[in-house]
Amino acid sequence: MNNAVWFLLVGGLLLVMGLTYTVLKRSPVTAAIIYLAVGLLVGPSALNLLHFNPLKESALLEVLTEGAVLISLFSAGVKMPVPFSFTRWRAPILLATVSMTLTVAMVAAFAFYVLGLPLGAGVLLGAILAPTDPVLATDVQIRHPGDRDQLRFTLTCEAGMNDGSAFPFVMLGLGLLGLHELGDFGLRWVLVDVVWATLAAILIGGVAGIALARLGWKFRRAPHKHELLDDFLGLGLIGVVYGLTVMVHAWGFLAVFFAAVALRQTELKLARNAPKSAAGATETAGTGAPASAGSAADPDSLHTVSEGSLVFKEHLERLSELMLVLLVGGSLFLTSWSWPAVGLALFLFLVARPLSVLASLLFTPTPWRIRGMTAWFGVRGIGSLYYLMYAIQHQLPESLALQMIQMTLVVVALSILLHGVSVKPMMGYFWRRSKQTPVP
């Protein structure tokens, strides 16, 4: 496919989606299903107008997926409705750690005993497929910063954290394949890849988010009264936090998520604590006029960096979803749908995910109806593609890379189809049959 045809395809798809947005919102399918269907139609499965080779273009796909995940993690972080505390975040933390570990272990066992892959490859495959996706799961995630629904909060917060907590298992898998140094008895892996990389990421992200929130708050208020470019500030925070974290060998995805959480929660705290007279001088979003003293008491009515940059990030998130899901469809052949790949996907969706979720939430007060919905809606997507490309760029053997590409693409495609078809009817039934449970 030449550039002209590619622009025509993407541009036409954007026009159709833009013009039919209201119809699509009411339809039982998600936008990702439409993108995937178009990709399969124009790809080698049907018309063969587009053939994207993930192995040959792994460096490009790594950058594209990396950017998409970062944008999505920032958007998820700034929509967190409550500040971090173990009581409120207990369920997502358990899902991002205990459930993550159990899923990796079960997928690794399936890959080793059923698919005949080496143990290191099984662990790596488990790490690639275990994290839930912040890009493709928008229909089950928090819709806006004021959304306090517990189910949406749990799924969003889990996706925000487990894109970072999967990285130690990626490095473990690479280490078992001889592509990363684990140290004697795995000591280096535990100290560097688990303890240091996790704690440093949370610290860097939290400090950076708090610092930007305070600077933005100070510059907008008297006597400065500066006008700020929130989109630039949001993207700048992502870039600085991610770059700095990677430079010190910590997990950048985790850092960006916690930077966004710290940014939003610090801004809300500053707004709540500000005197009415001082906060009343703050300009309202998009008007340039002073807010009233009454509106100053409402933090959501004030112009903040997190709120101002969110709309732009959501547009980037939608565009990246379209492009990458289209490439997924354009990478699949009819022969890609082998029984091992489909069997792995079904094992992940119907066995590994439900068992790991139920086990991790066993001793929590989470309502059973939320546990059941959480167990099903473990959407796999762009994050898995990033980890796969990351492994390929770290000299994963070609024969093994081809196997993992096939299985990962099929898992992602089936996740888009199965979760995409079920999300609207299941979520609608869930809200009709149960009372909404807010985050405490």
Side-chain angles (χ1 to χ4, degrees), residues 207-258:
V207 170
I210 292 171
L212 180 59
R214 292 186 177 277
L215 281 174
W217 181 261
K218 181 178 180 180
F219 286 166
R220 276 202 170 98
R221 287 156 49 98
H224 307 289
K225 295 186 178 180
H226 287 319
E227 184 178 353
L228 306 180
L229 294 177
D230 295 321
D231 292 336
F232 278 38
L233 291 175
L235 289 172
L237 180 64
I238 293 173
V240 170
V241 167
Y242 188 70
L244 179 60
T245 308
V246 171
M247 286 175 64
V248 300
H249 305 290
W251 305 135
F253 286 169
L254 198 62
V256 167
F257 175 71
F258 275 98

Side-chain angles (χ1 to χ4, degrees), residues 134-157:
V135 181
L136 300 183
T138 52
D139 287 292
V140 294
Q141 292 186 356
I142 289 177
R143 295 163 293 184
H144 52 80
D147 187 352
R148 296 177 64 92
D149 174 65
Q150 188 176 356
L151 173 61
R152 294 183 182 275
F153 167 74
T154 300
L155 291 169
T156 307
C157 195

Side-chain angles (χ1 to χ4, degrees), residues 61-62 64-70 72-73 100 124-137 159 162-164 166-167 170 253 320-321 324-325 328 379-391 408 411-412 415-416:
L61 191 55
E62 181 186 15
L64 293 177
T65 52
E66 188 175 31
V69 173
L70 287 171
S72 187
L73 288 173
M100 165 69 67
L124 179 59
L125 184 61
I128 289 170
L129 298 178
T132 54
D133 195 68
V135 181
L136 300 183
N162 69 16
D163 268 300
F167 244 121
V170 172
F253 286 169
S320 63
E321 177 187 7
L324 292 169
V325 175
V328 169
V379 181
R380 268 63 186 181
I382 307 307
S384 295
L385 294 179
Y386 168 76
Y387 287 120
L388 176 61
M389 296 305 110
Y390 180 89
T408 303
V411 168
V412 171
S415 180
I416 291 172

Side-chain angles (χ1 to χ4, degrees), residues 95 132 140 151 155 158 345-358 368-380 414-427:
L95 290 172
T132 54
V140 294
L151 173 61
L155 291 169
E158 179 199 8
L346 295 178
F347 174 79
L348 177 64
F349 301 152
L350 302 178
V351 179
R353 171 67 179 182
L355 288 180
S356 66
V357 168
L358 295 179
W368 279 100
R369 63 181 183 278
I370 293 181
R371 298 186 200 194
M373 294 290 284
T374 303
W376 171 243
F377 285 114
V379 181
R380 268 63 186 181
L414 279 177
S415 180
I416 291 172
L417 292 172
L418 295 178
H419 293 122
V421 167
S422 62
V423 60
K424 291 184 179 180
M426 285 187 67
M427 292 294 279

Side-chain angles (χ1 to χ4, degrees), residues 20-249:
T20 60
Y21 179 66
T22 301
V23 176
L24 290 173
K25 279 183 25 176
R26 298 170 182 169
S27 70
V29 300
T30 62
I33 292 181
I34 297 175
Y35 306 150
L36 179 64
V38 173
L40 291 170
L41 177 64
V42 301
S45 295
L47 300 178
N48 202 26
L49 298 175
L50 165 66
H51 177 207
F52 185 79
N53 188 332
L55 182 61
K56 183 179 178 182
E57 304 293 344
S58 60
L60 171 63
L61 191 55
E62 181 186 15
V63 173
L64 293 177
T65 52
E66 188 175 31
V69 173
L70 287 171
I71 294 293
S72 187
L73 288 173
F74 182 88
S75 297
V78 297
K79 288 187 287 190
M80 287 293 102
V82 293
F84 177 83
S85 70
F86 182 76
T87 301
R88 289 169 169 169
W89 288 46
R90 181 182 178 186
I93 290 173
L94 290 172
L95 290 172
T97 54
V98 177
S99 178
M100 165 69 67
T101 303
L102 293 175
T103 302
V104 172
M106 284 188 279
V107 172
F110 185 90
F112 182 75
Y113 290 108
V114 179
L115 302 181
L117 293 178
L119 179 60
V123 173
L124 179 59
L125 184 61
I128 289 170
L129 298 178
T132 54
D133 195 68
V135 181
L136 300 183
T138 52
D139 287 292
V140 294
Q141 292 186 356
I142 289 177
R143 295 163 293 184
H144 52 80
D147 187 352
R148 296 177 64 92
D149 174 65
Q150 188 176 356
L151 173 61
R152 294 183 182 275
F153 167 74
T154 300
L155 291 169
T156 307
C157 195
E158 179 199 8
M161 288 189 290
N162 69 16
D163 268 300
S165 61
F167 244 121
F169 295 104
V170 172
M171 307 314 293
L172 178 60
L174 291 174
L176 293 174
L177 290 171
L179 303 175
H180 177 68
E181 179 60 42
L182 298 178
D184 296 334
F185 306 104
L187 186 61
R188 183 190 182 279
W189 175 75
V190 172
L191 295 178
V192 177
D193 294 331
V194 179
V195 178
W196 161 256
T198 300
L199 295 180
I202 295 173
L203 178 63
I204 292 172
V207 170
I210 292 171
L212 180 59
R214 292 186 177 277
L215 281 174
W217 181 261
K218 181 178 180 180
F219 286 166
R220 276 202 170 98
R221 287 156 49 98
H224 307 289
K225 295 186 178 180
H226 287 319
E227 184 178 353
L228 306 180
L229 294 177
D230 295 321
D231 292 336
F232 278 38
L233 291 175
L235 289 172
L237 180 64
I238 293 173
V240 170
V241 167
Y242 188 70
L244 179 60
T245 308
V246 171
M247 286 175 64
V248 300
H249 305 290

